[in-house]
Amino acid sequence: MKNAICISFMLGLALPALGDETCNSPYTTALIKGQEDYVHVWTLGVKDLGDGQDKLVTIGANPKSKDYGKVVSSVSVGSRGEAHHMGFTDDRRYLWAGGLSDNLIHVFDVANPEKPRLVRTIKNLGEKTGYLGPHTFYAMPGRMLIGTLSNTKDKGGVTGMAVYNNKGDFVAKYDMPTDKGGDGYGYDIAINPAKNVLLTSSFAGYNNYMRPLGELIKDAEAMKKFGNTMVVWDLKAMKPKQVLAVPGAPLEVRWSLKSGDNWAITAAALTSKLWLVKQDAKGEWVAKDVGTIGDPSKIPLPVDISITADGKGLWVNTFMDGKTRYFDLTNPEQPKQTYEKVTGKQVNMISQSWDGKRVYVTSSLLENWDKGGADNEQFVRAFNWDGKELKPAFEVDFAKEKLGRAHHMKFTAKAR
């Protein structure tokens, strides 16, 4: 209760409901609305490739720089633990990055964005919470809210959220609901301060995400162990209010960034559906199936989405067919696909600049889910977007550079 009250107090401050470029926490400051200088890539190490360790790779992203499109630094963490996602602290000074298998959280100082420094590794997530697989790092005022995927007891999908302060001290834990329709699973976090709402989505536990994909999909019992819910939380009280049925592992959650909009959208990986979350006439939150991504019978596997700053467009990456799709969200009740392009033999994360003119794509999903042989491309590809066509800008081959599997991206800019 004490912790909930403390968070409530902080959230009572006048905080701007801002997005980032364009999917970070609304509490993250110093938005980059101009040209980003660097793209940081949280990279999963590959045995016998380079040093084999997980690492934060920094690439020059300003076309006016001599380092444009080149690796300018790389910070290895001393281990390999299924590097996956990362997120800024509210002051944007530090990047927190997690490992889904080793349960470690690495904290990088990005005060000098050209050369980030590893300043701390947090090792007590499992001890303090019983959770396993830190996934989403979501800035709160002075704190970091961490969504997890699994638990240390049976390595299934029942999990929760942890709160640490910015110094790395554990503060509180919040279990995902397992009653009133809740399946206890977790994945992404997204906050709408204006509505005092925190939305969570759901995926699968360690036993599934660390298993080879080809083996997993043949196991009917294992395929039942994916999340099928989203949870609406009372943000100030940090208590679940509603459980929404969203079948097929709803993944990234994006609130519209347009002022006055109070709806969010997600993509369900296993059903290739877009779901809209908004309030009905009675004020109850509802989830509605509003669109289809590709041909679900071919399992395109949507793995990441990125909403535009004006809330009128959505990028969707589908892993299996290697496509990047754009949906017109002018009417979020009826998204319309207006563009698609094969951007790799396998694609995963997608990030865009605030003005929407630059789009970045990475290749790796999970170590045991990535494709094999010639299809196992590992890269960051940058594109320029003119509203009609994605035009290649630069590419870094992570296999050739002996870096590893490129996964999550964040931007920084030099002080100007």
Side-chain angles (χ1 to χ4, degrees):
M1 177 62 75
K2 180 179 178 181
N3 292 324
I5 292 173
C6 186
I7 291 172
S8 173
F9 171 78
M10 291 188 295
L11 296 177
L13 300 176
L15 294 167
L18 298 174
D20 196 5
E21 20 353 271
T22 56
C23 63
N24 288 331
S25 162
Y27 306 110
T28 304
T29 58
L31 299 177
I32 302 172
K33 294 190 174 181
Q35 173 67 52
E36 61 278 6
D37 289 311
Y38 302 103
V39 55
H40 306 280
V41 188
W42 186 217
T43 303
L44 172 60
V46 175
K47 185 181 179 182
D48 299 327
L49 182 69
D51 65 12
Q53 300 176 19
D54 296 345
K55 53 183 65 67
L56 185 67
V57 176
T58 299
I59 299 169
N62 189 330
K64 294 182 179 179
S65 169
K66 63 181 181 181
D67 296 322
Y68 181 58
K70 298 179 181 177
V71 175
V72 297
S73 67
S74 175
V75 183
S76 296
V77 299
S79 59
R80 184 171 65 253
E82 195 69 49
H84 207 68
H85 282 200
M86 56 184 174
F88 288 109
T89 50
D90 58 338
D91 58 4
R92 209 169 176 134
R93 170 68 184 267
Y94 298 98
L95 256 178
W96 290 42
L100 295 183
S101 66
D102 63 11
N103 225 16
L104 299 180
I105 299 167
H106 306 285
V107 181
F108 298 91
D109 183 344
V110 293
N112 178 0
E114 186 176 357
K115 296 181 178 179
R117 296 185 301 119
L118 178 64
V119 295
R120 184 179 300 116
T121 296
I122 298 170
K123 302 178 180 180
N124 65 359
L125 177 64
E127 172 194 341
K128 293 290 187 180
T129 67
Y131 304 150
L132 172 62
H135 180 269
T136 298
F137 295 87
Y138 207 84
M140 306 280 277
R143 301 185 176 192
M144 183 65 77
L145 180 61
I146 304 170
T148 65
L149 300 186
S150 191
N151 67 78
T152 57
K153 185 177 181 180
D154 65 6
K155 298 187 177 180
V158 175
T159 189
M161 295 179 287
V163 178
Y164 283 75
N165 65 27
N166 281 0
K167 294 180 180 178
D169 301 319
F170 172 74
V171 176
K173 58 171 286 190
Y174 301 95
D175 293 341
M176 301 301 292
T178 54
D179 58 356
K180 301 179 181 178
D183 53 24
Y185 284 36
Y187 186 78
D188 203 17
I189 297 168
I191 288 175
N192 181 335
K195 287 291 183 178
N196 185 39
V197 165
L198 180 156
L199 271 179
T200 54
S201 56
S202 56
F203 179 51
Y206 181 102
N207 292 334
N208 274 11
Y209 66 70
M210 290 302 293
R211 194 172 176 185
L213 182 59
E215 177 185 304
L216 174 65
I217 60 177
K218 296 176 183 177
D219 185 335
E221 286 303 311
M223 290 301 292
K224 295 177 182 177
K225 297 176 181 176
F226 280 88
N228 293 294
T229 61
M230 296 179 72
V231 180
V232 180
W233 295 70
D234 180 319
L235 174 61
K236 292 182 179 179
M238 287 300 285
K239 291 183 177 179
K241 292 175 59 180
Q242 286 181 247
V243 177
L244 309 176
V246 182
L251 300 184
E252 268 68 21
V253 184
R254 304 287 183 248
W255 288 100
S256 172
L257 305 177
K258 181 182 177 184
S259 179
D261 277 355
N262 287 301
W263 52 263
I265 196 160
T266 189
L270 302 183
T271 56
S272 292
K273 294 288 187 180
L274 289 171
W275 287 78
L276 181 70
V277 178
K278 62 182 295 186
Q279 288 176 294
D280 64 14
K282 297 180 180 178
E284 293 293 311
W285 290 92
V286 295
K288 181 181 179 182
D289 172 3
V290 293
T292 301
I293 304 163
D295 180 353
S297 69
K298 296 180 180 178
I299 314 177
L301 204 60
V303 282
D304 193 23
I305 58 176
S306 177
I307 196 166
T308 57
D310 62 5
K312 294 183 178 179
L314 187 77
W315 290 104
V316 180
N317 265 4
T318 46
F319 179 77
M320 295 304 291
D321 58 14
K323 289 184 177 180
T324 297
R325 295 175 165 86
Y326 186 83
F327 284 81
D328 182 340
L329 279 185
T330 303
N331 179 1
E333 300 273 358
Q334 296 180 325
K336 295 180 180 177
Q337 183 182 318
T338 58
Y339 178 82
E340 70 175 41
K341 181 185 184 76
V342 174
T343 53
K345 293 180 178 177
Q346 57 182 7
V347 297
N348 189 30
M349 304 305 291
I350 181 164
S351 296
Q352 64 182 306
S353 56
W354 182 264
D355 60 12
K357 294 181 180 179
R358 296 170 298 284
V359 174
Y360 301 81
V361 173
T362 60
S363 51
S364 179
L365 177 53
L366 291 159
E367 178 180 9
N368 287 322
W369 289 25
D370 283 355
K371 298 178 181 178
D375 288 341
N376 187 25
E377 295 179 325
Q378 294 299 337
F379 59 78
V380 169
R381 287 177 179 156
F383 299 87
N384 293 317
W385 172 245
D386 60 5
K388 298 179 180 178
E389 177 66 26
L390 282 176
K391 298 179 180 178
F394 70 78
E395 172 180 348
V396 175
D397 186 327
F398 272 51
K400 184 178 179 181
E401 298 284 343
K402 297 184 178 181
L403 295 168
R405 302 175 188 270
H407 192 80
H408 203 203
M409 297 169 284
K410 291 293 181 184
F411 304 145
T412 56
K414 297 177 181 176
R416 293 185 172 89

